Amino acid sequence: MPAFPAVPATPALLVDRDVLDRNIARMADAARTRGVSLRPHAKTHKCVEIARRQIAAGAVGLTVATVSEAEVFADAGFRDLFVAYPLWTDAARGARLRALAAEVRLTVGVDSVEGARALAEHARPGLTVLVEVDSGHHRTGVAPERTGSVAVAAASVGLEVRGVFTFPGHSYGPGQPAVAATDEAAALSRAVAALEATGHDADVISGGSTPTAHLDVPAATELRPGVYVFGDAQQLELGTIDEDAIALTALATVVSARDDTVVLDAGSKVLGADRAPWATGYGRILGAPDARIVALSEHHATVQWPADADRPTLGTRIRVIPNHVCSAVNLADDLTVVAGDTVVDRWPVAARGCNT
């Protein structure tokens, strides 16, 4: 495993440029083959350079989670942004949305009559919205049959309703991607029918997640996967990717070793603390599929090394695959870009901490 001596200190997040570009091209090709638009979620990478690569590969625009993420990408020159979140808009957030809408083609999510009214009051009439639909994740979004009532309320206060969106987040579980894709297709179809029954056209029918991105959802016109650019340990365990699709790892150093245990200098402040109930550890080790991160503290990752493999010695540099790559990226100031064994660039995480 390369030691990357040009990286002065660990821990550090590495991005394999060739794998990244391959992942971007694969998803763009898959969207084109299915005849749907690709609007990748930038909350995964929060990086202007990666967003530019996605647009160059054919993405129609970007999805973001927050107004502050939208502001970062608007300032960097991106002109078609969707805030895929049911914003609660007050005067301060409304002023920010007005400024954004003056610069870019801005779309915002709504999932309630009250939310639509607040958006129109504090942002502006004429703002474009998509109604969020609950397709089985049961987080935000209205029941599909209620889409029409939210659309009517939004239109009555001057918002432009262009369609519906959903996030099939229950795809993040063993055996769940196919189930979630079926649920998503059914929910979007019912939502479109409810929207059209009130006289509104569904020009945009937006959905998708990385686990379901390659599954057929006939109703959708747009996909919004995010994690696919980097891959992570969750996707490995779900079987949606192989290790050759892992573009981001945390370079860490063995700082302690005994028996079958090694301890690395990349803890929760680097890797993030996410661990799904079904996950077998707090991340994976690139090139050592049987090793398990059994404990994570702020600056330590405790790894149980397989007995039939040579245990790495003190000072060895190891590449860790985070469980949830979005969380890991949001903890980093920049990404070290590598090609083969060579460090070739450093990209700022421009939207780090943009949570408002």
Side-chain angles (χ1 to χ4, degrees):
M1 185 177 294
F4 296 102
V7 178
T10 63
L13 294 189
L14 305 185
V15 173
D16 187 312
R17 186 185 63 191
D18 297 336
V19 178
L20 171 76
D21 287 343
R22 188 164 66 240
N23 290 347
I24 290 172
R26 282 175 177 169
M27 189 62 73
D29 289 344
R32 276 191 291 269
T33 298
R34 288 174 54 185
V36 297
S37 300
L38 179 63
R39 183 181 294 276
H41 211 313
K43 75 178 178 66
T44 294
H45 56 72
K46 293 177 171 282
C47 178
V48 169
E49 286 78 3
I50 294 175
R52 286 177 178 149
R53 288 170 128 78
Q54 292 173 312
I55 297 296
V60 298
L62 299 177
T63 303
V64 295
T66 67
V67 175
S68 53
E69 284 184 348
E71 289 166 339
V72 167
F73 287 103
D75 287 346
F78 296 88
R79 288 295 173 262
D80 194 335
L81 303 174
F82 172 36
V83 184
Y85 196 92
L87 295 174
W88 183 255
T89 309
D90 56 14
R93 182 166 280 131
R96 293 165 66 192
L97 289 170
R98 289 196 302 274
L100 277 167
E103 291 185 61
V104 305
R105 182 181 183 182
L106 182 68
T107 305
V108 177
V110 294
D111 78 344
S112 67
V113 171
E114 297 84 357
R117 289 172 179 163
L119 185 62
E121 177 185 357
H122 296 295
R124 69 174 192 184
L127 193 65
T128 301
V129 298
L130 299 183
V131 180
E132 184 174 12
V133 179
D134 179 6
S135 57
H137 189 37
H138 305 318
R139 186 176 63 185
T140 51
V142 297
E145 292 73 20
R146 290 188 54 217
T147 304
S149 61
V150 175
V152 168
S156 72
V157 292
L159 300 175
E160 180 188 354
V161 181
R162 291 194 63 219
V164 297
F165 78 104
T166 192
F167 172 59
H170 56 310
S171 62
Y172 284 79
Q176 289 302 299
V179 173
T182 299
D183 292 345
E184 179 185 14
L188 287 174
S189 294
R190 297 200 306 274
V192 169
L195 196 70
E196 292 177 341
T198 62
H200 291 90
D201 293 328
D203 296 327
V204 178
I205 308 169
S206 182
S209 65
T210 293
T212 61
H214 294 283
L215 301 175
D216 190 27
V217 179
T221 65
E222 178 179 274
L223 295 178
R224 305 189 322 277
V227 172
Y228 78 95
V229 288
F230 292 143
D232 59 18
Q234 287 188 138
Q235 299 303 316
L236 280 178
E237 292 212 45
L238 290 174
T240 61
I241 62 171
D242 297 320
E243 200 172 85
D244 66 359
I246 295 295
L248 183 143
T249 52
L251 186 66
T253 299
V254 176
V255 295
S256 182
R258 64 185 183 282
D259 302 325
D260 65 348
T261 299
V262 300
V263 179
L264 309 176
D265 63 355
S268 63
K269 288 184 174 179
V270 172
L271 302 174
D274 281 8
R275 180 180 179 179
W278 45 264
T280 59
Y282 290 93
R284 291 294 185 97
I285 306 300
L286 188 71
D290 295 326
R292 289 293 179 271
I293 302 178
V294 296
L296 206 62
S297 46
E298 291 179 75
H299 300 287
H300 305 73
T302 303
V303 186
Q304 186 174 344
W305 210 261
D308 59 353
D310 291 336
R311 190 192 72 192
T313 57
L314 290 171
T316 303
R317 287 184 162 190
I318 288 175
R319 296 173 73 179
V320 182
I321 307 168
N323 265 346
H324 185 186
V325 72
C326 306
S327 298
V329 169
N330 194 46
L331 294 167
D333 290 326
D334 52 45
L335 306 173
T336 300
V337 186
V338 300
D341 298 349
T342 304
V343 175
V344 294
D345 211 343
R346 194 174 299 276
W347 293 339
V349 182
R352 178 188 180 184
C354 290
N355 298 320
T356 63

